[in-house]
Amino acid sequence: MQWLLLMAWGGGVALCPKERLSLARHAVAAGLIASMLTQEALLWADGMLNLQTGLPLHLCGLAGVLSIPLLYRARGGAVHGLIAYLAAPAAAAVLFFPAVMQCSHPMLMGLAFFRLHVLVALVPFLLWRMQKPLPVNPRGALVLGNGYLLAVEGVNTLLHTNYLFLRAAPAGTPLAWLMGRGKGVYVAALEVTAMALAACLAPLYRRLNRLIAGNRSACSRYVPDTAPCTIRRRGSAR
């Protein structure tokens, strides 16, 4: 299911004409909202909606919330960096190692879960297609990510929750293997992975931004001839 959603949404974002990218933005925002509300509604219908399950404190859930205003802002700041360097790669990885919450409507839950993660993974690409440069300095994203990690750890301690899977990792995922080595190893591995991703993505984002700059430069050099056409009369002074 996730790969069909990725092809459908990814193809739509990649092939959408520039003059219709605003419609793609509305579609992605609506898809994010629908995905999150569907999951909340399914949990509520099964009596499973509570502080342990309903808060958008997992990285991809938080990114889904933050992506909606980001799509409509001229500048994203640190939030753009958080999504581009941490949330989008994490959402892409989840497609390979999904941990869908069980409920009485598994197909609907799976559809909403995968659609959310596909869209979060595509948000930086859509913003780039909308001529919004990708963040090239990952330091702000890493600092914000560490602050977010500490805040979620505080919430988990107060509410006895498991956001960011800091208490128990989903079975059958690489996170579970890391957690089995101890929480310190688990958190250190997350930190190292985030820094490695940032080091790989920053030069890629710089190259993609050069494409935007090149397109803008080409457009600025093209000045159409709008001077009115005049017809000289015979015998007129030259």
Side-chain angles (χ1 to χ4, degrees), residues 144-158:
L144 183 59
N146 277 288
Y148 162 63
L149 178 71
L150 291 174
V152 171
E153 176 65 18
V155 171
N156 286 339
T157 302
L158 291 174

Side-chain angles (χ1 to χ4, degrees), residues 45-103:
D46 286 353
M48 298 167 60
L49 184 62
N50 50 48
L51 292 176
Q52 284 72 27
T53 60
L55 297 179
L57 291 181
H58 284 299
L59 179 57
C60 294
L62 179 66
V65 173
L66 296 178
S67 292
I68 297 168
L70 179 63
L71 289 169
Y72 295 91
R73 293 177 57 185
R75 294 184 179 181
V79 171
H80 193 179
L82 180 70
I83 294 174
Y85 283 103
L86 299 179
V94 169
L95 300 180
F96 292 92
F97 304 101
V100 185
M101 185 169 291
Q102 300 299 314
C103 72

Side-chain angles (χ1 to χ4, degrees), residues 159-203:
L159 302 179
H160 304 288
T161 52
N162 187 35
Y163 292 109
L164 279 184
F165 304 118
L166 291 176
R167 288 174 174 256
T173 66
L175 297 180
W177 184 87
L178 289 171
M179 184 63 82
R181 271 63 188 167
K183 188 173 181 178
V185 173
Y186 178 76
V187 173
L190 293 180
E191 294 279 354
V192 171
T193 301
M195 289 187 289
L197 276 172
C200 294
L201 290 175

